[in-house]
Amino acid sequence: MTTTTTYNKSACLGNYPAHWKVLKLKHIGFLYGGLSGKTGEDFLNEKNFNGLYIPFTSICNDMTVKSTALKPVVIYEDENQNEVLKNDLFFLMSSENFADIGKTAILLEDLEKVYLNSFCKGFRITNTEVDAKFLNYCLNSNHNRQLLAKEGNGFTRINLRKNNVMSFEVALPPYQEQIQIAHYLDNQSQKINHFIAKKQQFIALLKEQRQSVINEAVTKGLNYDSSDFYDENDLNAEKKNQKNHNNQKNHSSDKRRMKDSGIKWLGAIPEHWKIMRLKNCINGKLKYGANESGYEYNPNWYRYIRITDFTKEGLLDEHNKLSLPIEIGVEYELADGDILFARSGATVGKTFQFRFVSDEEKYCYAGYLIKASPNENIILSDFLMEYTNSIVFENWKNSIFSKATIENIGADKYCVLKIPIPPLSEQTQIVSYIKAETATIDTAIAKAEREIELIKEYKEAMIAEAVMGKVKMSEL
């Protein structure tokens, strides 16, 4: 004899089994704050590090906090900071977008002297009839995430209020059923995460291959002979030149001779190329963006471009658009082909090429970005963009970071960035070559990323079904 599950109907929670009960989070546990009263020095003073904290990225990027992702901090004896405990949940209470606000993650390890970042709040379960793993899955279901995100307020930064979180309702099965559902989701998630990890490794290899293609083209050109190297500082250069000339028949006539660039992280470049600083091959000066809070999008104003408005493909996202009034935005207006450099935060050193999405819109940019307008009589926007995707640019960034206590690259650093400059006709050829050579790689990356998106969608649907009692107990 089979039994049929009956469901209760809720306008907010949807349909859930009749034997489940609905509780507000304030009847399940309590919220506590993250680190407070800290200064930047407390996160930089390596000699005095005596604690660890959970960065907001650990909560933003995963449902489980990993000890390998913790970062060091100084905690003084007279401070009264909240330590996190095993099975605590963490809410992302402040974010730049609605997609991340309200995300939760759980700590499953028993650790000491670990604290929480200030953008999040911890949630400690006191109700013995609630399983922490199940609650974390429940709160991370798409339906509950969307409901919680609606409680957020703000434009440039979205914030959740403590009272709204504590008043949030969840549907809970009996305790043993919670454990069964969480166990089922753990097993299925492990298989899915393994698949995703393999695909991400494959994507990483493809991106390395792509970067290598770009690096060779923007630093060596399209037709060079590494054996035909010319060192301008070599005392025997003339003899070497004569020898190379005499042996020219052994080399293809269209091979380009190389010279030492004099820059450690750049190496040899074609003999006829120049080296120029970024400030000398742009129109005007590098310019910081507007230090303003955005307003609700108004098509008659300037669209306000933030770092988060660029997709992983480097395109402008058409969702969650903001604006600045004309009198403010005009000072930070973007032109087609401008290159935007990220100066701080998680995206520091990343670059974005601005291209008009609509001729009917005007665009300006935010303060975490620095604008460079390429002088296309010297350097093409496309060539400069490709150069910032190269290995040598990555090496330059790392050389900046190694000399600093915090990862931050300001206009003073970007303006002295040295760039190899081929003739314009050669830049055009290089850009065309890169687009052709990377097209197949980009297709493979897009295919693998799409497979990851699909399996993540499946995982989200699986979690949603399970935490709303739509999975048969026999399957658990």
Side-chain angles (χ1 to χ4, degrees):
M1 178 178 175
T2 59
T3 59
T4 302
T5 302
T6 58
Y7 290 88
N8 288 332
K9 296 182 179 180
S10 168
C12 290
L13 296 177
N15 299 339
Y16 59 92
H19 68 286
W20 290 24
K21 60 183 178 181
V22 175
L23 288 179
K24 292 183 177 181
L25 290 182
K26 65 182 179 181
H27 297 137
I28 296 174
F30 64 90
L31 283 173
Y32 62 87
L35 291 168
S36 61
K38 307 303 291 179
T39 66
E41 187 64 24
D42 295 331
F43 300 94
L44 302 173
N45 193 347
E46 297 181 9
K47 294 180 180 179
N48 295 322
F49 284 153
N50 59 355
L52 296 169
Y53 76 97
I54 301 170
F56 78 92
T57 50
S58 293
I59 296 156
C60 185
N61 297 333
D62 206 339
M63 288 175 57
T64 303
V65 173
K66 295 178 175 59
S67 58
T68 53
L70 302 182
K71 294 188 176 181
V73 64
V74 178
I75 303 294
Y76 300 99
E77 290 183 4
D78 59 349
E79 286 188 273
N80 185 24
Q81 303 285 2
N82 295 312
E83 287 190 50
V84 303
L85 298 178
K86 181 180 179 181
N87 289 326
D88 279 357
L89 274 64
F90 311 105
F91 283 88
L92 188 57
M93 303 290 286
S94 180
S95 175
E96 293 181 348
N97 59 73
F98 281 98
D100 292 332
I101 195 71
K103 285 191 74 171
T104 65
I106 188 172
L107 177 65
L108 297 174
E109 299 176 67
D110 196 0
L111 305 172
E112 294 183 355
K113 293 186 177 181
V114 176
Y115 306 86
L116 184 61
N117 72 86
S118 58
F119 289 107
C120 298
K121 286 194 181 295
F123 183 80
R124 188 159 298 155
I125 297 173
T126 56
N127 189 325
T128 57
E129 295 182 357
V130 179
D131 177 67
K133 281 187 178 182
F134 176 85
L135 182 60
N136 188 46
Y137 278 120
C138 182
L139 291 169
N140 272 294
S141 70
N142 271 346
H143 181 74
N144 284 331
R145 285 280 311 285
Q146 289 170 10
L147 287 177
L148 197 53
K150 288 180 181 178
E151 302 295 334
N153 293 291
F155 287 114
T156 54
R157 192 156 199 95
I158 318 301
N159 297 293
L160 272 178
R161 293 180 180 177
K162 178 180 177 180
N163 291 341
N164 290 343
V165 174
M166 294 303 283
S167 298
F168 192 76
E169 292 182 332
V170 292
L172 298 169
Y175 185 70
Q176 287 302 320
E177 198 172 332
Q178 292 177 44
I179 292 176
Q180 284 180 284
I181 293 172
H183 181 68
Y184 164 78
L185 291 174
D186 282 346
N187 287 338
Q188 297 301 312
S189 295
Q190 185 176 11
K191 296 173 186 177
I192 291 170
N193 292 342
H194 179 72
F195 173 85
I196 291 173
K198 288 290 185 182
K199 287 293 178 182
Q200 287 174 333
Q201 289 175 5
F202 176 61
I203 290 171
L205 290 173
L206 288 174
K207 286 184 174 179
E208 286 180 13
Q209 182 182 351
R210 186 183 194 280
Q211 193 178 44
S212 179
V213 169
I214 293 171
N215 194 75
E216 287 295 298
V218 299
T219 62
K220 311 298 182 189
L222 302 183
N223 212 357
Y224 75 96
D225 185 354
S226 59
S227 65
D228 202 4
F229 177 76
Y230 168 58
D231 185 349
E232 291 177 329
N233 299 316
D234 191 343
L235 294 175
N236 296 315
E238 288 302 320
K239 293 181 180 179
K240 196 170 187 178
N241 290 342
Q242 186 61 45
K243 180 181 177 181
N244 286 335
H245 178 74
N246 293 337
N247 293 334
Q248 194 171 16
K249 62 182 179 181
N250 296 323
H251 298 286
S252 176
S253 59
D254 59 351
K255 293 290 185 182
R256 300 286 176 81
R257 293 176 59 211
M258 309 296 289
K259 67 179 180 181
D260 184 7
S261 68
I263 304 168
K264 185 177 180 180
W265 45 263
L266 180 56
I269 62 172
E271 183 181 12
H272 64 291
W273 288 18
K274 299 176 182 178
I275 296 289
M276 295 183 68
R277 297 182 188 271
L278 178 61
K279 66 180 181 181
N280 296 324
C281 48
I282 61 174
N283 295 315
K285 296 181 178 180
L286 290 168
K287 184 175 176 62
Y288 289 99
N291 187 22
E292 300 283 345
S293 297
Y295 296 83
E296 186 174 355
Y297 179 69
N298 183 336
N300 296 317
W301 289 2
Y302 279 82
R303 180 179 171 183
Y304 193 36
I305 305 300
R306 302 153 295 169
I307 294 174
T308 52
D309 288 324
F310 289 95
T311 66
K312 60 187 176 184
E313 293 84 14
L315 304 174
L316 273 182
D317 191 342
E318 290 301 295
H319 300 91
N320 303 317
K321 297 197 290 188
L322 295 180
S323 291
L324 282 184
I326 294 173
E327 63 270 18
I328 299 176
V330 66
E331 187 179 346
Y332 306 96
E333 185 170 349
L334 287 167
D336 194 58
D338 281 348
I339 304 296
L340 296 170
F341 293 82
R343 65 184 178 93
S344 60
T347 57
V348 61
K350 287 198 69 174
T351 55
F352 309 93
Q353 184 184 41
F354 174 75
R355 290 296 189 191
F356 280 122
V357 177
S358 169
D359 292 335
E360 297 178 358
E361 280 187 310
K362 290 186 176 181
Y363 303 81
C364 62
Y365 60 105
Y368 285 103
L369 295 167
I370 302 172
K371 181 186 76 171
S373 299
N375 179 345
E376 294 208 308
N377 291 319
I378 298 173
I379 187 168
L380 300 178
S381 172
D382 288 342
F383 183 84
L384 177 56
M385 186 62 202
E386 294 295 1
Y387 181 71
T388 65
N389 289 326
S390 68
I391 296 170
V392 292
F393 181 73
E394 196 78 24
N395 292 341
W396 174 78
K397 287 192 298 183
N398 292 336
S399 72
I400 299 295
F401 297 151
S402 67
K403 298 175 184 177
T405 54
I406 188 169
E407 292 191 353
N408 180 28
I409 305 179
D412 60 323
K413 300 290 193 305
Y414 281 123
C415 74
V416 295
L417 166 66
K418 293 181 179 179
I419 305 170
I421 308 290
L424 288 173
S425 59
E426 197 170 341
Q427 290 183 42
T428 301
Q429 293 173 352
I430 289 170
V431 169
S432 297
Y433 168 83
I434 290 172
K435 288 180 178 179
E437 289 295 309
T438 58
T440 303
I441 300 173
D442 290 342
T443 300
I445 290 173
K447 182 175 182 292
E449 288 177 338
R450 180 56 182 157
E451 289 173 349
I452 290 175
E453 287 175 7
L454 290 173
I455 197 68
K456 283 183 175 180
E457 289 174 7
Y458 169 78
K459 181 180 178 181
E460 290 171 355
M462 176 189 70
I463 291 172
E465 291 283 302
V467 300
M468 291 306 292
K470 306 294 175 61
V471 178
K472 295 179 180 179
M473 292 300 293
S474 59
E475 297 178 13
L476 300 179

